[in-house]
């Protein structure tokens, strides 16, 4: 597969995460679950950027490491999703989100737009 084809596979998974995030903007939906899905979307989008550099993404969930490898200046609200990769899944909370859901979602969507430009799609 070409880097663009690999990136499209990851982007399809991101789009599924984004649908879930949009459907769960209700504050009654647990922050820990919403944050995990948001973190996963960011992680995959960073891996898209790494793949587009024709490099193999490392097996890590650490967003700032992935952002550095991807050459992306990551929005601080997205960096702050890091605890949702592991801690919020396995430790007792609460784990409040670092910003309002709509703001985090908008930042993820901007990151997605950048990835799509790199793939060469509209």
């Amino acid at each position: 597969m070409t880097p663009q084809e690999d990136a499209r596979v990851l982007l399809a998974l991101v789009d599924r995460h984004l649908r879930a995030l949009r459907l769960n903007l209700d504050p009654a939906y647990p922050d820990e679950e919403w944050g995990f899905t948001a973190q996963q979307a960011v992680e995959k989008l960073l891996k898209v950027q790494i793949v587009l550099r024709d490099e193999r993404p490392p097996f890590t969930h650490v967003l700032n490491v992935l952002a550095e490898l991807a050459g992306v200046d990551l929005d601080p609200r997205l960096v702050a999703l890091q605890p949702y990769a592991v801690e919020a899944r396995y430790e007792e909370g609460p784990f409040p989100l670092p910003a309002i859901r709509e703001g985090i979602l908008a930042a993820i969507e901007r990151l997605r737009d950048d990835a799509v430009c790199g793939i060469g799609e509209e």
Side-chain angles (χ1 to χ4, degrees):
M1 288 175 101
T2 67
Q4 289 76 17
E5 290 168 329
D6 287 337
R8 284 186 190 99
V9 169
L10 287 168
L11 194 59
L13 298 172
V14 168
D15 287 342
R16 186 176 66 203
H17 293 322
L18 286 171
R19 274 194 314 274
L21 292 171
R22 288 183 201 109
L23 289 169
N24 292 305
L25 289 172
D26 183 336
Y29 190 79
D31 284 350
E32 292 82 0
E33 297 301 320
W34 199 91
F36 173 69
T37 302
Q39 187 281 335
Q40 287 290 289
V42 172
E43 180 181 327
K44 287 179 182 77
L45 284 168
L46 293 171
K47 289 180 178 181
V48 164
Q49 297 289 9
I50 294 168
V51 165
L52 289 172
R53 290 175 164 225
D54 205 13
E55 297 174 14
R56 185 179 194 105
F59 292 109
T60 185
H61 302 294
V62 182
L63 298 178
N64 60 352
V65 168
L66 293 169
E68 185 176 328
L69 292 171
V72 172
D73 184 23
L74 200 55
D75 184 307
R77 293 173 293 187
L78 301 184
V79 174
L81 293 171
Q82 185 59 53
Y84 297 93
V86 178
E87 291 91 346
R89 292 171 50 212
Y90 297 103
E91 295 177 14
E92 189 172 344
F95 289 89
L97 290 167
I100 63 168
R101 292 174 192 212
E102 291 83 359
I104 296 169
L105 181 58
I108 296 170
E109 289 171 336
R110 281 191 296 279
L111 189 62
R112 184 200 181 278
D113 290 345
D114 292 343
V116 169
C117 287
I119 295 172
E121 297 180 0
E122 295 181 24

